[in-house]
Amino acid sequence: MKNTMMKSFTVGLILIAMALIPACRSSRKAKPTTPTTTVTETVPDVSATAATETVVDTQTDFVREDPRPTTEELPTDLDALNRYVQERGHVRDAFFGYDESALSADAQAALTSSANWLRSNPQYNLLIEGHTDERGTEQYNLALGDRRANTARQFLTALGIDGNRLRTVSYGEERPFATGSNESAWSQNRRAHLVIVGTR
Amino acid sequence: MRSRFLPLVTLFALLGGCASTGDVARLQNQVAELQEELAGLKRTTAAKEEVQNVNQRIAEQTEQLLRSSATLVSKVDQMEERIQNTQGTIEQTNYRIDRMAQQMTQFQRDLELLGARVQPAAPGSPSSEITVPAPGPVVSAVPSENPVDVYQAAYRDYQRGNFDLAISGFRDFITQSPNSDLADNAAYWIGESLFSQQKYPEAIAQFDSVVTQYPRSDKVPGALLKKGFSYLNINERAQGIVQLQYVVHEHPNAPEAALARQRLRQLGIETR
Amino acid sequence: MKKILAVLSFALPALLSAQTDVTVTIDPSQASQIVRIAVPFPDSVPKTAGATVAASEEIREPFFAPLTRDLAYSDAFAIAPLPPGIAPTIEVAKRAGAHYLLKINVFREGPDYLVDPELLDMTGASVLKPQRYRSPRAALTRTAHTIANNILRIVRGTPGIFMTRIAFASNRTGNWEIWLMDWDGANQTQITNHGVISILPSWAPDNERMVYTSWLKGTSDMWIINRRGGGRIRLHTGLNLNTSATFSPVNNDIAFVGSTNGNPDIYLINDAGGNIRRLTSTGSIESTPEWSPNGRQISFTSGRSGTPQIYVMDAEGTNVRRISFEGDWNDDATWSPDGERIAYTSRVRGRFQIRIHNTVTGETRIVAGEGSNEQPSWSPDGRWITFQSNRGGKWQIYRMRADGTDLLPLTSQGENKEPDWSKKLE
């Protein structure tokens, strides 16, 4: 029992060392390109406005010099508002790989643009729902949904969104977006769904 | 075993970070430069457009800075998942090795039995061309109860809540097979059975013997912690606290250390 | 005088059970064999003044059918077929190969039904304590289960599972709600009416209360409710998730999955909502705790090895060890009442199956078959397993023997899942 433990430890060390090298390299390659381009492609104007406001938070000097105060008319009804921001891609759900809770580059881009919108609309809070596809077991999937919702939450707080504005709930596989037992339905259901909720 | 990977996770995070901490520092420098530039511009002329330009560049840099730190967070997540997968593979391999080892033991035992049965026939028969090599001193031809059966019967009793029977069964097993791979487990289960019966002083003595007799057993952190819990359950607070602190100190990465810290916190004692 | 009476009334049941022992020892091999019992349809001849005989069709479905089903599935009895059209006498029963003859009279008195069962051995001696059962029509099925339990206890000396109930979640109303049914799928009754998602019911050891998870307040919380749907309380944990709750078989603790910052772990809380303790502290996902019957071990699912696998720990959180090594997704572990076996959901080549792990020998085997088969739960006598399967296209609840035989669907309306068999016998 003790011998195998040591053996496995050594094997583990080697395996991890092997895994480390490509991890470091690939991440260096991926980072500067993907997220930046995706963001500017999809939501150019919003990110600009949002960016101005970020500066407002840290550099009080420029508060009054904001050149383009955006006066975008937002629907007052919450359902309508959620449809509005999702359709325009201002707020976007993060999708996950099978049995994964780590954020892909696409998911990061979606959350980045959502963070921008939240920054420029500080009067709203966000509910993050964690969902999974139907292929796993229900009980473990509830826990996986919780993890996904919180991965998204942590990413948003890392982007500077106040944690007090973000609430999470897991639905596991209990409330699927798409029905059907095929990959297109499954991939639709593996997500952190962002819902704008009440004003502060 | 699980806990030994923790430092690796940290190492991992650091290595993953090496790329981005450089980036972050560079970005910070750039932001500082831009701010200086901006301040200069403001002082000399109020070139509105230029201010706006720089303003936007600062915003972009800040966003990139935030994003790279957010990316770092999810990169650590990904790495953690990868480590877990590796560990799973190792565990599965170990399981297969264990099973094979068990089969080998069984095979060996069968062979010995076969040898023991062939042996008595050999001297009588003159045509003994096939000489069966005696595997050491031949024990009784019919073996007494298989030690594994004794262990399993005791464990069955434990599961059924027949703790007295379980204790005597595990004791028999240790007497019969003191060098077995399962001896440390049996000793632990005796302690756990006593603990289940709320016979805490006896449990303390038994968990103690797990630690002294089998110091390298994977049951040691559990035995130490439950020794501490036993003390607390009979209101020997000081002894209990010392035990829990010992677990934290000696096995900082075992799951038992986290449990000890939690209990200490409930007792109003902070651990680092 | 009074004393003598008391002694007599104590002695009477003792005498009766002594007589039972005699009937069993007539044929010693009988104890391990199936006992053949003849159960003629209730007599149509009135024997009690002032009561009318119940019409045969009104008692067939609610009474006679469940009674014969219970006996046939008891593992102790086989129904001896009686020739039709002949009065069921001892002689007739004997010729049919029966060891016992169960004669039943059912009468009506106002809205109530009166049931007089009489169990005769082949010497014509009565082996069942004379007792009359009175119940309204709605409770006739429970009377049938009670009689079956009594017969099993007299003949075999073991308690029966015929009065146990299965809790489950059903969406037949349009929302997932908590429901109850008898062990044979009859008598399905709705317990919650929240209009949201309410799932994962789990019985307390007293068969009186259940704990389940509901999104009634927008987030998932644990609620305790009694078997009649009353006495509802919410357990405040201060944590996220609050799922997979399960009562300790030996004290008032509840094990559940709680989460902080996306890190689901196994916690304990008492049934009044106090004394929260965290049992696991890894960075990975932990879920689905379940107590061993002696209350000293807790099985759970963990992703610490990359895929969901089954682990077991002491009730204090110490001594964690992995027990599942086959299948790339294992969950829903649940212990047999003797603590020797753990049934769990195990994915084999992309499909979920019920796997049974022997905690003593470490051996495992697969039961169940078509479709996906998940969420097993043992009957309190350890002979049966109920589980959910989508083999018919929709999720429905099934029951089978622990070896996978005698499969029977228990539900059909809407979709139904997460069966949990009540823990106490009778």
Side-chain angles (χ1 to χ4, degrees):
Chain A
M1 207 163 267
K2 298 127 207 164
N3 284 344
T4 39
M5 249 170 70
M6 271 320 291
K7 219 182 296 160
S8 70
F9 180 60
T10 334
V11 174
L13 266 177
I14 296 160
L15 282 173
I16 287 160
M18 278 158 63
L20 255 172
I21 301 152
C24 211
R25 208 177 282 145
S26 69
S27 64
R28 199 174 298 197
K29 232 185 304 167
K31 180 174 32 66
T33 47
T34 19
T36 331
T37 46
T38 327
V39 171
T40 39
E41 267 166 25
T42 43
V43 279
D45 50 350
V46 174
S47 74
T49 6
T52 333
E53 300 225 358
T54 323
V55 182
V56 170
D57 285 340
T58 44
Q59 309 279 306
T60 27
D61 271 9
F62 302 126
V63 175
R64 279 150 218 97
E65 298 199 42
D66 185 352
R68 296 180 292 147
T70 44
T71 48
E72 197 181 1
E73 275 292 317
L74 292 174
T76 46
D77 176 63
L78 271 181
D79 287 344
L81 173 66
N82 272 298
R83 269 196 305 277
Y84 179 88
V85 293
Q86 291 267 358
E87 273 162 17
R88 277 161 187 75
H90 299 172
V91 172
R92 289 157 56 200
D93 292 356
F95 291 86
F96 294 85
Y98 176 61
D99 190 23
E100 276 177 13
S101 53
L103 295 170
S104 64
D106 280 353
Q108 290 182 24
L111 292 171
T112 307
S113 86
S114 306
N116 290 338
W117 190 89
L118 284 165
R119 227 179 272 125
S120 36
N121 294 279
Q123 70 272 32
Y124 291 107
N125 290 347
L126 187 73
L127 174 67
I128 309 166
E129 300 178 357
H131 295 270
T132 69
D133 68 31
E134 55 161 18
R135 277 180 298 169
T137 47
E138 291 172 63
Q139 301 193 70
Y140 191 83
N141 271 344
L142 280 166
L144 181 59
D146 176 79
R147 169 147 295 192
R148 282 181 180 163
N150 277 280
T151 307
R153 184 183 189 276
Q154 275 156 19
F155 193 83
L156 291 173
T157 51
L159 288 177
I161 305 301
D162 181 359
N164 292 325
R165 295 175 63 194
L166 309 171
R167 221 157 44 81
T168 61
V169 62
S170 172
Y171 283 104
E173 57 181 89
E174 307 298 328
R175 260 175 45 170
F177 289 81
T179 50
S181 298
N182 49 62
E183 180 49 39
S184 90
W186 292 328
S187 60
Q188 278 297 302
N189 293 334
R190 294 189 299 260
R191 66 166 98 186
H193 176 52
L194 310 191
V195 184
I196 307 296
V197 290
T199 47
R200 277 220 258 197
Chain B
M1 178 169 69
R2 227 160 274 130
S3 47
R4 292 195 203 185
F5 288 99
L6 271 181
L8 282 171
V9 176
T10 340
L11 178 75
F12 228 122
L14 280 174
L15 277 167
C18 63
S20 348
T21 25
D23 291 349
V24 172
R26 206 180 56 237
L27 284 165
Q28 269 167 336
N29 281 339
Q30 284 176 347
V31 171
E33 275 167 30
L34 283 163
Q35 278 171 350
E36 247 170 62
E37 203 180 318
L38 189 64
L41 270 169
K42 261 179 87 188
R43 246 181 274 117
T44 48
T45 45
K48 266 246 160 182
E49 257 173 52
E50 267 179 81
V51 173
Q52 224 171 286
N53 253 338
V54 178
N55 201 341
Q56 187 149 340
R57 274 164 64 201
I58 291 179
E60 277 164 14
Q61 301 282 1
T62 311
E63 207 196 300
Q64 220 172 65
L65 199 114
L66 281 167
R67 203 184 303 133
S68 69
S69 82
T71 315
L72 189 64
V73 170
S74 52
K75 208 185 296 165
V76 170
D77 285 348
Q78 281 167 4
M79 286 171 180
E80 232 171 307
E81 276 182 18
R82 215 173 297 171
I83 291 179
Q84 285 173 353
N85 279 324
T86 313
Q87 201 189 323
T89 317
I90 293 167
E91 284 175 11
Q92 238 132 348
T93 311
N94 280 353
Y95 170 76
R96 287 200 192 112
I97 291 170
D98 279 356
R99 285 251 115 170
M100 267 154 70
Q102 273 173 27
Q103 281 165 5
M104 288 285 280
T105 317
Q106 188 60 45
F107 190 55
Q108 214 166 350
R109 189 172 299 133
D110 290 351
L111 265 180
E112 276 168 25
L113 270 179
L114 204 68
R117 242 177 251 147
V118 172
Q119 198 77 353
S125 63
S127 59
S128 58
E129 300 117 51
I130 313 153
T131 40
V132 181
V138 179
V139 240
S140 59
V142 183
S144 57
E145 219 177 340
N146 185 346
V148 174
D149 292 342
V150 177
Y151 183 91
Q152 291 186 346
Y155 192 70
R156 197 172 283 125
D157 279 324
Y158 168 80
Q159 294 285 27
R160 290 178 190 221
N162 302 328
F163 298 120
D164 283 331
L165 287 174
I167 290 166
S168 71
F170 284 126
R171 289 219 165 107
D172 288 351
F173 174 80
I174 295 174
T175 315
Q176 276 181 37
S177 327
N179 300 321
S180 158
D181 237 15
L182 291 168
D184 57 332
N185 289 23
Y188 179 85
W189 288 119
I190 294 170
E192 155 55 22
S193 299
L194 292 164
F195 188 93
S196 301
Q197 293 179 309
Q198 305 183 3
K199 293 177 176 167
Y200 298 118
E202 292 96 320
I204 290 167
Q206 181 62 30
F207 286 132
D208 238 356
S209 90
V210 173
V211 177
T212 51
Q213 307 261 311
Y214 313 96
R216 301 192 55 198
S217 164
D218 55 353
K219 301 281 185 209
V220 164
L224 284 171
L225 184 69
K226 286 177 80 154
K227 188 180 159 196
F229 286 170
S230 300
Y231 275 122
L232 293 174
N233 287 348
I234 51 172
N235 292 319
E236 292 206 25
R237 193 183 138 95
Q239 278 285 3
I241 288 169
V242 169
Q243 276 301 316
L244 298 192
Q245 285 172 331
Y246 184 72
V247 175
V248 175
H249 184 261
E250 285 297 304
H251 304 276
N253 299 322
E256 278 78 5
L259 293 162
R261 277 194 208 96
Q262 176 182 234
R263 190 65 176 268
L264 285 167
R265 218 175 302 121
Q266 282 171 357
L267 294 164
I269 292 153
E270 274 313 313
T271 46
R272 334 98 281 139
Chain C
M1 185 60 199
K2 263 186 186 164
K3 259 183 195 164
I4 294 165
L5 265 179
V7 169
L8 267 179
S9 60
F10 274 119
L12 196 61
L15 273 173
L16 276 167
S17 59
Q19 196 181 4
T20 317
D21 288 346
V22 173
T23 51
V24 172
T25 46
I26 287 170
D27 179 5
S29 63
Q30 204 173 286
S32 58
Q33 271 177 9
I34 297 294
V35 176
R36 289 162 69 83
I37 185 167
V39 193
F41 196 74
D43 241 334
S44 54
V45 186
K47 283 181 187 160
T48 309
T52 52
V53 178
S56 55
E57 281 324 299
E58 61 184 319
I59 59 163
R60 189 178 290 278
E61 270 317 301
F63 178 77
F64 191 69
L67 177 65
T68 47
R69 265 204 306 268
D70 285 358
L71 295 173
Y73 279 120
S74 65
D75 285 352
F77 298 108
I79 305 289
L82 289 172
I86 307 171
T89 60
I90 296 284
E91 272 312 307
V92 172
K94 209 184 271 180
R95 248 179 281 130
H99 301 98
Y100 289 96
L101 172 63
L102 178 61
K103 295 185 83 169
I104 301 163
N105 293 310
V106 184
F107 310 106
R108 285 198 65 172
E109 200 176 81
D112 285 349
Y113 287 76
L114 307 177
V115 180
D116 288 342
E118 197 181 17
L119 185 64
L120 304 169
D121 65 17
M122 288 302 105
T123 69
S126 175
V127 295
L128 205 59
K129 198 169 89 179
Q131 194 182 348
R132 166 168 289 185
Y133 299 83
R134 175 187 289 272
S135 56
R137 182 179 166 79
L140 260 182
T141 307
R142 295 187 71 74
T143 300
H145 293 316
T146 311
I147 292 171
N149 271 345
N150 288 345
I151 291 172
L152 185 66
R153 183 181 283 284
I154 290 290
V155 176
R156 261 293 159 84
T158 53
I161 56 165
F162 312 125
M163 291 286 277
T164 57
R165 307 203 77 191
I166 297 167
F168 61 103
S170 178
N171 71 355
R172 67 188 71 174
T173 61
N175 291 299
W176 286 105
E177 303 282 2
I178 307 301
W179 287 67
L180 288 183
M181 62 182 162
D182 292 349
W183 89 292
D184 56 3
N187 210 0
Q188 304 194 1
T189 45
Q190 189 177 349
I191 296 301
T192 64
N193 193 11
H194 296 327
V196 291
I197 300 173
S198 302
I199 53 171
L200 294 169
S202 179
W203 284 97
D206 60 5
N207 285 11
E208 277 301 317
R209 295 177 302 160
M210 280 165 274
V211 60
Y212 61 97
T213 296
S214 178
W215 279 255
L216 191 53
K217 303 281 178 193
T219 54
S220 46
D221 292 299
M222 291 183 285
W223 296 80
I224 295 177
I225 198 168
N226 71 32
R227 61 191 290 167
R228 284 164 294 280
R232 187 155 47 96
I233 62 160
R234 177 184 175 194
L235 294 174
H236 293 269
T237 64
L239 301 165
N240 284 337
L241 265 180
N242 309 309
T243 54
S244 305
T246 168
F247 280 95
S248 159
V250 296
N251 58 35
N252 62 351
D253 278 337
I254 290 171
F256 70 101
V257 184
S259 165
T260 53
N261 298 322
N263 187 8
D265 274 302
I266 309 299
Y267 288 77
L268 298 183
I269 190 171
N270 69 32
D271 63 357
N275 194 14
I276 296 190
R277 287 141 288 164
R278 179 176 174 169
L279 295 186
T280 60
S281 316
T282 63
S284 53
I285 289 175
E286 270 73 38
S287 81
T288 328
E290 191 56 81
W291 298 88
S292 72
N294 69 6
R296 293 297 309 143
Q297 303 284 309
I298 295 172
S299 59
F300 62 99
T301 306
S302 173
R304 63 187 68 180
S305 301
T307 54
Q309 298 292 340
I310 311 293
Y311 293 75
V312 174
M313 63 184 166
D314 294 356
E316 288 73 36
T318 52
N319 190 22
V320 179
R321 62 260 186 223
R322 177 174 169 180
I323 65 154
S324 70
F325 294 92
E326 285 154 283
D328 58 0
W329 188 308
N330 297 316
D331 195 11
D332 309 333
T334 178
W335 301 68
S336 68
D338 61 6
E340 190 162 335
R341 290 160 293 168
I342 295 178
Y344 60 90
T345 304
S346 181
R347 191 168 59 193
V348 185
R349 285 183 289 280
R351 224 148 46 80
F352 284 106
Q353 299 291 356
I354 310 294
R355 192 188 286 274
I356 296 180
H357 166 86
N358 189 309
T359 64
V360 177
T361 64
E363 276 151 17
T364 76
R365 68 193 164 83
I366 297 254
V367 287
E370 300 163 57
S372 258
N373 303 284
E374 304 177 20
Q375 306 260 15
S377 174
W378 298 83
S379 67
D381 66 356
R383 293 168 188 272
W384 298 87
I385 290 173
T386 177
F387 62 100
Q388 68 184 54
S389 175
N390 65 359
R391 62 185 66 191
K394 282 178 160 183
W395 286 107
Q396 297 298 352
I397 293 170
Y398 292 76
R399 185 189 79 190
M400 64 179 177
R401 289 187 193 280
D403 64 5
T405 59
D406 279 346
L407 183 85
L408 184 76
L410 298 181
T411 58
S412 59
Q413 285 179 273
E415 287 198 276
N416 302 278
K417 59 181 186 178
E418 302 157 1
D420 187 61
W421 211 311
S422 63
K423 311 277 195 296
K424 210 174 78 178
L425 283 160
E426 292 186 52

